[in-house]
Amino acid sequence: MKDLPQNNFPTTFLILFCVILLTGCRRDMDLAQEEGEATIVTLEEFLRLGDESAGDTILFGPISQIMVNGRGDILVSEGQQSPLVHAFEADGTYLSQVGGQGQGPSEYRFLSSGVIGAADSVYLLEFVTNRILVYDPDDFSYVHSIEIKDDGQGQFNILIGAIENGWIMAKRLRPFLESDAMTINDDPHYELIQIDRDGSYGTDLLGTVDESEAVYDIQEGGRYGYADVPFGRSPSWALGPDDIFYYGWSDVIEIITVSADGSTRDTIRYEHDPVPITSAEITEVMPEIPYYRELVETRESHETKPAFHTFVVDEMSRVWIKLSCPENAIEAEWLILSRESHAVGRTILPAAVDLEVIRGGYAYGVHQGDGIDPMVVVYEIQE
């Protein structure tokens, strides 16, 4: 056997090193390509409603919700202090009110939320009376109402979505329990429940999620104080295609998906970089009234902002998540995740805009803040 040349080992080592290096580079390229699948999505403003500077004659108070039907009609619900629901055509032409304030069969006094069903019927929840009011999909005239059965254990506060056999609703367990002396429930949360068309429901839950973080305090005479925690965590939810329900709490990007019948369940997860809270931001959001400020100061403050502010689900079952912004930011990043937890897109919008509906190639949002009156903003999605 011949002896190997003395310089063969260095050559072999060099070749092996290059192979390893190229393999590592290929892995980095593959990872970069995988991350690169999160394409930039452009949203081009298409329409505004309630823009006084543009001469709009319909101006809104605080907007609590918007809904969109299959024709592209936009329903705008104003806040609970003055509940009114206005209907507009897709081009912004005013159509009519949906129901109205009052105590008649078609009217409401304590409007909570509303949804549009698969056949474009409109459902509005009056939460004190536990009624779902039903309106015609064509002319928004009143049809009838359904009373949700009350078991005395809580209050149905939010109508989340309409499914084939009924609705998905959030039931708020009462934070204050009356006995010989009033006490505070230290575990306030929502129960997420499927309601049947006759207003009945069983004991099975789709899930539970914590309420928005707040501080409570009982005062003399049974009165209580209440204040939101600065940069507190809060729940978000949405009903997506195929009656898949999405819900999560904003401390982390972890969104649970569950079928309306409860048979399938999964979780969307995504790591995020926490956004720190500055002392100036804390000072800005502290309650002005001394008593409520003292309530808030009894609780240890957060050092970072919630992972996200809100989310909405589009027709392709993608979750659009509004991430928290750094101090003084005028724009917010929206992260788009697939059901498999992959980042498939990103977009940027004004920080004052919260998207609420994505349908038919358009994104519908509420603009509130920046010192101007609330508006509805519609964007055309370009991908």
Side-chain angles (χ1 to χ4, degrees):
M1 179 180 295
K2 293 184 178 180
D3 293 333
L4 291 174
Q6 292 183 356
N7 63 348
N8 196 52
F9 174 76
T11 303
T12 304
F13 177 79
L14 180 61
I15 293 173
L16 181 60
F17 174 78
C18 291
V19 170
I20 294 173
L21 180 62
L22 288 171
T23 302
C25 291
R26 171 55 56 189
R27 284 192 60 203
D28 289 342
M29 289 174 62
D30 290 342
L31 286 173
Q33 289 171 355
E34 184 177 344
E35 292 175 358
E37 292 175 2
T39 58
I40 302 301
V41 178
T42 302
L43 299 187
E44 183 174 336
E45 187 173 315
F46 171 77
L47 176 70
R48 287 189 179 193
L49 300 175
D51 185 358
E52 185 176 15
S53 65
D56 287 1
T57 57
I58 300 294
L59 303 178
F60 304 113
I63 298 173
S64 62
Q65 186 183 14
I66 56 176
M67 299 169 276
V68 181
N69 65 18
R71 297 188 300 269
D73 296 337
I74 305 167
L75 278 65
V76 183
S77 177
E78 295 186 88
Q80 295 179 9
Q81 298 297 325
S82 178
L84 289 173
V85 180
H86 306 277
F88 301 83
E89 290 184 357
D91 63 0
T93 302
Y94 186 80
L95 290 172
S96 66
Q97 280 187 201
V98 182
Q101 290 180 271
Q103 301 182 48
S106 66
E107 298 173 329
Y108 38 77
R109 288 182 297 163
F110 308 101
L111 187 62
S112 168
S113 57
V115 298
I116 293 177
D120 279 350
S121 292
V122 179
Y123 306 98
L124 301 180
L125 172 65
E126 188 181 39
F127 66 88
V128 171
T129 60
N130 270 7
R131 289 191 306 155
I132 294 178
L133 293 86
V134 184
Y135 299 88
D136 185 86
D138 295 320
D139 62 5
F140 307 117
S141 61
Y142 174 73
V143 180
H144 63 94
S145 65
I146 299 99
E147 182 177 351
I148 308 302
K149 306 298 187 295
D150 186 1
D151 60 6
Q153 299 300 312
Q155 178 76 53
F156 283 100
N157 288 70
I158 301 171
L159 180 59
I160 297 172
I163 57 178
E164 182 178 357
N165 299 321
W167 303 274
I168 294 176
M169 300 182 68
K171 181 181 182 182
R172 183 175 185 265
L173 300 186
R174 304 189 197 280
F176 302 100
L177 309 178
E178 294 188 20
S179 57
D180 293 337
M182 185 176 287
T183 58
I184 296 177
N185 177 4
D186 61 1
D187 183 27
H189 64 273
Y190 289 103
E191 294 182 344
L192 308 170
I193 303 174
Q194 177 186 333
I195 309 295
D196 294 332
R197 290 285 174 180
D198 63 357
S200 62
Y201 54 93
T203 57
D204 293 337
L205 303 179
L206 294 176
T208 63
V209 63
D210 289 348
E211 292 185 31
S212 297
E213 288 185 309
V215 176
Y216 301 91
D217 182 59
I218 296 176
Q219 305 173 28
E220 293 182 5
R223 295 181 297 112
Y224 62 87
Y226 162 87
D228 289 323
V229 171
F231 301 100
R233 281 44 176 164
S234 59
S236 291
W237 41 56
L239 183 64
D242 303 321
D243 287 352
I244 300 297
F245 177 48
Y246 299 67
Y247 68 93
W249 206 56
S250 63
D251 190 46
V252 294
I253 300 178
E254 187 171 288
I255 298 169
I256 297 171
T257 66
V258 56
S259 58
D261 61 5
S263 61
T264 62
R265 184 178 295 268
D266 205 347
T267 303
I268 298 170
R269 294 185 176 91
Y270 196 84
E271 293 294 328
H272 79 287
D273 294 326
V275 178
I277 303 170
T278 68
S279 57
E281 289 176 307
I282 288 288
T283 300
E284 183 179 358
V285 300
M286 286 293 282
E288 294 182 3
I289 300 175
Y291 173 75
Y292 292 105
R293 186 165 59 248
E294 290 173 6
L295 278 183
V296 170
E297 289 173 346
T298 62
R299 177 185 174 121
E300 184 177 354
S301 60
H302 289 291
E303 295 182 357
T304 61
K305 297 179 181 180
F308 65 90
H309 179 70
T310 186
F311 69 77
V312 62
V313 180
D314 67 16
E315 294 167 302
M316 293 182 283
S317 300
R318 302 180 304 181
V319 186
W320 296 50
I321 303 171
K322 182 181 181 180
L323 304 178
S324 286
C325 304
E327 184 181 16
N328 298 324
I330 61 173
E331 294 183 324
E333 179 182 3
W334 288 73
L335 172 68
I336 306 173
L337 298 181
S338 68
R339 285 273 302 276
E340 294 75 30
S341 301
H342 297 151
V344 295
R346 296 177 184 272
T347 193
I348 300 293
L349 286 174
V353 172
D354 286 345
L355 297 180
E356 293 200 5
V357 178
I358 298 177
R359 185 168 187 170
Y362 292 89
Y364 301 80
V366 176
H367 184 292
Q368 297 192 108
D370 290 347
I372 62 177
D373 291 330
M375 295 184 297
V376 173
V377 187
V378 183
Y379 302 92
E380 186 173 8
I381 302 173
Q382 300 178 351
E383 298 190 66

